[in-house]
């Protein structure tokens, strides 16, 4: 098949490689326009565009995917079908219906669960023990079209959003090729979604990633893992005074066990103020009180610095006994 691919980040690259490896013709790659990024505000090429340039595939970068000039250019590529994998924008009907076989989407959840922009993050934040990838036919409603194939992915206790992202991207490419084979042979079965079972995964950003220490320890740990590496869960510092008002991103959480008397393994009892740093140790790192129990934070990233172990960060503090989160 001749395929018009729509995608921007690394998530779509395994799909591109899988389709090319299976003998499909990538007619073109549609990706977002280059944008200024980083401290130097230099234009950044998307991973999908970089792949296309390396492969000698035409690249289209419309400001809006409904522009008539773009649609005319896309038609000239004569695609049989469109495949979308994390393009980042909604496609209007004129774009969805442009190829004769319509448009498929590689979505990183087991639809109808976790429709929306951030299914990988929210699967971990909500403590799911399983997620996956769905190949669905795109319709006007968000992530609501019939499903042609799914792959399940277990979520181990310590898995981060970044790790699930990599697993889902790889699984998506393999399942996509199987669905394309089924379409070509006439074996494809499209299963309508049960809208009554739909859940949502709204977009996350850095402002929304602030840690709510009043949540139970397991929920806080899930939040840190679900925001790792992006948008990165963060908290503010109230002390030491030299660091007051600064932010600290937190990673690699573990929930501390509780003793029979209700205290955790270090003797911290219920009622300790959520967000209180109950240990700032130059060897064992940070332990922080939550709404129920404590967690150990294994790694941090201070504003403007690199990610490091929590113990390394503590060693650099002027007074490690006075650490408090605001």
């Amino acid at each position: 098949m001749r395929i018009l691919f729509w995608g921007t980040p690394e998530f779509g690259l395994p799909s591109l490689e899988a389709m090319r490896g299976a003998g499909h013709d990538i007619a073109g790659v549609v990706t977002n326009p280059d944008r200024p990024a980083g401290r130097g505000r230099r234009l950044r090429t998307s991973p999908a565009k970089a792949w296309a340039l390396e492969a000698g595939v035409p690249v289209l970068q419309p400001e809006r995917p409904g522009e008539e000039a773009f649609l005319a250019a896309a038609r000239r590529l004569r695609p049989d079908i469109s495949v979308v994998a994390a393009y980042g924008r909604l496609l209007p009907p004129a774009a969805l219906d442009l190829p004769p076989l319509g448009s498929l989407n590689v979505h990183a959840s087991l639809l109808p669960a976790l429709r929306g922009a951030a299914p990988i993050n929210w699967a971990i934040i909500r403590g799911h023990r399983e997620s996956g990838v769905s190949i669905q036919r795109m319709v006007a409603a968000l992530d609501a079209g019939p499903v042609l194939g799914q792959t399940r992915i277990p979520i181990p206790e310590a898995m981060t959003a970044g790790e699930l992202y990599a697993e889902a991207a790889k699984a998506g490419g393999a399942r996509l090729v199987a669905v394309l084979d089924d379409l070509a042979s006439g074996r494809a079965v499209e299963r309508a979604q049960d809208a009554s079972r739909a859940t949502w995964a709204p977009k996350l950003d850095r402002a929304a990633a602030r840690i709510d220490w009043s949540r139970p320890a397991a929920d806080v740990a899930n939040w840190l893992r679900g925001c790792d590496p992006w948008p990165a869960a963060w908290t503010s510092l109230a002390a030491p005074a030299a660091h007051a008002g600064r932010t600290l991103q937190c990673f690699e959480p573990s929930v501390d066990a509780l003793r029979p008397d209700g205290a955790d393994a270090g003797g911290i009892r219920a009622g300790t103020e959520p967000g209180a740093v109950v240990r700032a140790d130059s060897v064992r790192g940070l332990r922080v009180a939550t709404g129920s129990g404590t967690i150990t934070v294994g790694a941090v990233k201070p504003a403007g610095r690199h990610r490091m172990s929590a113990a390394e960060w503590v060693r650099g503090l002027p007074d490690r006994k006075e650490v408090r989160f605001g």
Side-chain angles (χ1 to χ4, degrees), residues 4-284:
L4 182 62
F5 178 83
W6 304 63
T8 299
E10 291 89 346
F11 182 81
L13 301 189
S15 292
L16 280 166
E17 289 290 352
M19 290 187 293
R20 184 170 63 172
H24 295 288
D25 182 8
I26 309 301
V29 167
V30 185
T31 190
N32 283 326
D34 297 350
R35 302 293 189 199
R39 293 183 178 179
R41 306 306 292 166
R42 295 182 178 178
L43 289 179
R44 179 174 294 175
T45 296
S46 74
K49 179 180 178 180
W51 184 95
L53 294 176
E54 177 70 21
V57 172
V59 176
L60 301 175
Q61 295 181 275
E63 284 290 345
R64 292 177 297 277
E67 296 172 351
E68 185 51 46
F70 158 71
L71 293 173
R75 291 188 193 100
R76 287 195 291 271
L77 296 175
R78 298 179 291 103
D80 299 312
I81 195 168
S82 281
V83 168
V84 180
Y87 173 58
R89 300 186 184 193
L90 293 175
L91 272 59
L96 291 176
D97 298 337
L98 187 149
L101 296 180
S103 300
L104 302 181
N105 181 40
V106 183
H107 184 78
S109 80
L110 297 173
L111 292 170
L114 298 175
R115 295 177 179 178
I120 291 171
N121 304 88
W122 286 104
I124 293 178
I125 289 169
R126 292 174 183 162
H128 293 186
R129 290 292 168 255
E130 183 181 61
S131 186
V133 65
S134 301
I135 311 301
Q136 60 145 167
R137 183 169 296 283
M138 298 180 72
V139 297
L142 181 63
D143 298 329
V147 173
L148 290 84
Q150 291 184 320
T151 298
R152 296 179 179 275
I153 302 172
I155 301 178
E157 185 175 348
M159 179 176 265
T160 66
E163 291 165 341
L164 180 55
Y165 183 99
E167 291 284 337
K170 181 179 178 180
R175 180 57 62 183
L176 172 63
V177 167
V179 166
L180 291 172
D181 288 346
D182 287 344
L183 284 171
S185 65
R187 298 191 307 268
V189 176
E190 302 192 16
R191 174 175 54 81
Q193 295 185 43
D194 181 353
S196 69
R197 296 175 52 241
T199 58
W200 297 93
K203 185 177 180 179
L204 283 170
D205 58 27
R206 294 191 186 278
R210 185 167 189 164
I211 302 166
D212 180 0
W213 296 107
S214 70
R215 301 288 298 170
D219 290 356
V220 175
N222 288 341
W223 184 261
L224 269 59
R225 293 187 300 109
C227 292
D228 181 358
W230 194 92
W234 60 275
T235 191
S236 60
L237 285 161
H243 292 254
R246 297 183 184 180
T247 59
L248 186 72
Q249 296 174 358
C250 299
F251 309 95
E252 299 178 22
S254 58
V255 177
D256 299 314
L258 294 178
R259 301 188 320 201
D261 64 0
D264 73 11
I268 305 303
R269 293 183 176 277
T272 302
E273 181 181 359
V277 178
V278 298
R279 184 191 71 208
D281 189 279
S282 61
V283 176
R284 295 175 294 171

